[in-house]
Amino acid sequence: MPSVILEGPAIKDIETRRTLVKELTDSVSRAYGLPKGTIVILIKENSPENVSIGGQLIVDRLRSDPGKPD
Amino acid sequence: MPSVILEGPAIKDIETRRTLVKELTDSVSRAYGLPKGTIVILIKENSPENVSIGGQLIVDRLRSDPGKPD
Amino acid sequence: MPSVILEGPAIKDIETRRTLVKELTDSVSRAYGLPKGTIVILIKENSPENVSIGGQLIVDRLRSDPGKPD
Amino acid sequence: MPSVILEGPAIKDIETRRTLVKELTDSVSRAYGLPKGTIVILIKENSPENVSIGGQLIVDRLRSDPGKPD
Amino acid sequence: MPSVILEGPAIKDIETRRTLVKELTDSVSRAYGLPKGTIVILIKENSPENVSIGGQLIVDRLRSDPGKPD
Amino acid sequence: MPSVILEGPAIKDIETRRTLVKELTDSVSRAYGLPKGTIVILIKENSPENVSIGGQLIVDRLRSDPGKPD
């Protein structure tokens, strides 16, 4: 505690994940004035079949418009 | 935002999932008076080994009474 | 189980909330083929000071552009 | 409802999981004064690549110090 | 980590809450084989206007049948 | 989507919150390669009566050792 739950698509590259958790931890630690060792981050990976924006599954959205960001 | 997190067993059929997210998005959009494009839905699939009702894992419950709904 | 967690701004009107949970329960019950009595919904109300979109708190966004939806 | 969401590493042994959900259900049922049948528990398994403590992924932490608890 | 999120109605009595978190921590610590100091519990209190079971808000359910457990 | 749920104690100062959501949004946007406008952050404030670490409520921990970080 504090803890951060991050819901997003998969992050393939582990180096990207390393940089991300380091940056998030620094920001959260500064904001609360609490030591970094207390900050827990959970990265949740969601497949495009399980996420909907605007009533449309990401998997269908990518099919109809591959350039659209999710 | 608004966002909906749906915790349940797996939904095998993608057509069922399409209908579900469309209906949920319509209902949530109407309730908040916000455009559908702002509504995010995350479907979380939980295996019967990881869910308990009444202190019993679903996997054990299905074994002892296959007709019981989870 | 299944359960729905709904994160959004406050819904002031209780009649709106009644309609919303009835509709969500119907949709979820149909999608999973499970009786309505098993469906739990938690409505979470978030104040504009505690939600950010695009790096800006809703409270600041409303101030700079009151017509913008959150 | 009430419901318990448990975020942790994988629990390999199903017998351990059985004991855990039984104990949690008993405790929660007593605390709220509600029948056990109303208590739902979701066990969420997180891989060491997706959890960070103190800005370091568990997978890296285990590598640098295998004896350290996560 | 591990962490427990407990969603339920309000627990008025602090002594009940003390016993609850102590028991949950003991159970979770045993199940994962991790020291108690690593276990975080968040108790979330939900008002009867914000919880629905079977498509009916708890606040309405209590009104129509005050003896019914939530 | 992506979305960040941040569980912690209250952050009194709104300027601190502004900086925090700006920094988190920048980091998450970079990691996923997605525009900032898609990133939603929910800050959840937990009172010391509702959080436990190591089986002890924060409110009791602060009482016995006011210098200890939560």
Side-chain angles (χ1 to χ4, degrees):
Chain A
M1 174 70 182
S3 69
V4 178
I5 297 182
L6 179 55
E7 300 278 356
I11 306 178
K12 296 259 167 57
D13 178 28
I14 192 153
E15 200 50 56
T16 304
R17 243 177 295 170
R18 275 190 193 114
T19 307
L20 176 59
V21 298
K22 209 180 152 307
E23 288 182 3
L24 297 183
T25 302
D26 287 352
S27 297
V28 172
S29 169
R30 265 198 306 274
Y32 289 101
L34 289 171
K36 291 185 199 181
T38 64
I39 318 287
V40 175
I41 300 174
L42 303 178
I43 300 176
K44 301 286 185 176
E45 302 184 328
N46 298 272
S47 84
E49 287 82 14
N50 284 334
V51 180
S52 155
I53 300 179
Q56 189 181 28
L57 295 173
I58 297 286
V59 68
D60 292 334
R61 191 163 149 161
L62 293 174
R63 216 168 277 156
S64 61
D65 180 358
K68 224 168 167 183
D70 54 329
Chain B
M1 172 77 177
S3 70
V4 178
I5 297 182
L6 179 54
E7 299 278 357
I11 306 179
K12 297 258 168 58
D13 180 27
I14 191 154
E15 201 50 55
T16 304
R17 243 177 294 170
R18 275 190 193 113
T19 308
L20 177 59
V21 298
K22 210 180 151 308
E23 288 182 3
L24 296 183
T25 302
D26 287 350
S27 297
V28 171
S29 170
R30 264 198 305 275
Y32 289 100
L34 289 171
K36 292 185 199 180
T38 63
I39 318 287
V40 175
I41 300 175
L42 303 178
I43 301 175
K44 301 287 185 175
E45 302 184 328
N46 297 272
S47 83
E49 286 82 16
N50 284 334
V51 180
S52 155
I53 299 180
Q56 189 181 27
L57 295 173
I58 296 286
V59 68
D60 293 333
R61 191 163 149 162
L62 293 174
R63 215 168 278 156
S64 61
D65 178 359
K68 225 169 169 182
D70 55 329
Chain C
M1 189 40 201
S3 69
V4 179
I5 297 182
L6 179 54
E7 300 278 356
I11 306 179
K12 297 259 167 55
D13 179 27
I14 191 154
E15 201 51 55
T16 303
R17 242 177 296 171
R18 275 189 193 114
T19 307
L20 176 59
V21 297
K22 208 179 153 307
E23 289 182 3
L24 296 183
T25 302
D26 287 350
S27 297
V28 172
S29 169
R30 262 197 307 274
Y32 288 101
L34 290 171
K36 291 184 199 180
T38 63
I39 318 287
V40 175
I41 300 174
L42 302 178
I43 300 174
K44 302 287 185 176
E45 302 184 329
N46 297 273
S47 83
E49 285 84 14
N50 284 334
V51 181
S52 155
I53 300 179
Q56 188 181 28
L57 295 173
I58 296 287
V59 67
D60 292 334
R61 191 164 150 160
L62 294 174
R63 216 169 277 155
S64 61
D65 179 358
K68 224 170 171 181
D70 54 330
Chain D
M1 169 79 177
S3 70
V4 178
I5 297 182
L6 179 55
E7 300 278 357
I11 307 179
K12 296 259 169 56
D13 179 28
I14 191 155
E15 201 51 56
T16 304
R17 243 178 294 170
R18 275 191 193 113
T19 306
L20 176 59
V21 297
K22 210 180 153 310
E23 288 181 3
L24 296 183
T25 302
D26 287 350
S27 297
V28 171
S29 170
R30 264 197 306 274
Y32 288 101
L34 289 171
K36 290 184 198 179
T38 63
I39 317 288
V40 175
I41 300 175
L42 303 178
I43 301 176
K44 301 288 185 175
E45 301 184 328
N46 297 274
S47 83
E49 285 84 15
N50 285 334
V51 180
S52 155
I53 300 180
Q56 189 182 27
L57 295 173
I58 296 286
V59 67
D60 292 333
R61 189 162 152 164
L62 293 173
R63 216 167 278 156
S64 61
D65 178 359
K68 224 166 169 184
D70 54 329
Chain E
M1 178 61 188
S3 70
V4 178
I5 297 182
L6 179 55
E7 299 279 356
I11 307 178
K12 298 258 167 59
D13 179 28
I14 191 155
E15 201 51 56
T16 303
R17 242 177 296 170
R18 275 190 193 113
T19 307
L20 177 59
V21 298
K22 210 179 153 306
E23 289 181 2
L24 296 183
T25 302
D26 287 351
S27 297
V28 172
S29 170
R30 264 197 307 274
Y32 288 100
L34 290 171
K36 291 186 199 180
T38 63
I39 318 287
V40 175
I41 299 174
L42 302 178
I43 300 175
K44 301 287 185 176
E45 301 184 329
N46 297 273
S47 84
E49 286 83 14
N50 284 335
V51 180
S52 155
I53 300 180
Q56 189 181 27
L57 295 173
I58 297 286
V59 68
D60 293 333
R61 190 162 150 162
L62 294 173
R63 217 168 276 155
S64 61
D65 179 358
K68 223 167 168 184
D70 54 331
Chain F
M1 175 72 181
S3 70
V4 178
I5 298 182
L6 179 54
E7 300 279 356
I11 306 178
K12 297 259 168 55
D13 179 27
I14 192 153
E15 201 50 55
T16 303
R17 244 178 293 170
R18 275 191 193 113
T19 307
L20 176 59
V21 298
K22 210 179 152 310
E23 288 181 2
L24 296 183
T25 302
D26 287 350
S27 298
V28 172
S29 170
R30 263 197 308 273
Y32 289 100
L34 289 171
K36 291 185 199 179
T38 63
I39 319 287
V40 175
I41 300 174
L42 302 179
I43 300 175
K44 301 288 185 175
E45 302 184 329
N46 297 273
S47 84
E49 285 84 14
N50 285 334
V51 181
S52 155
I53 299 179
Q56 189 181 27
L57 296 173
I58 296 286
V59 67
D60 293 333
R61 191 162 150 163
L62 294 173
R63 216 168 277 155
S64 60
D65 179 358
K68 224 169 170 181
D70 55 330

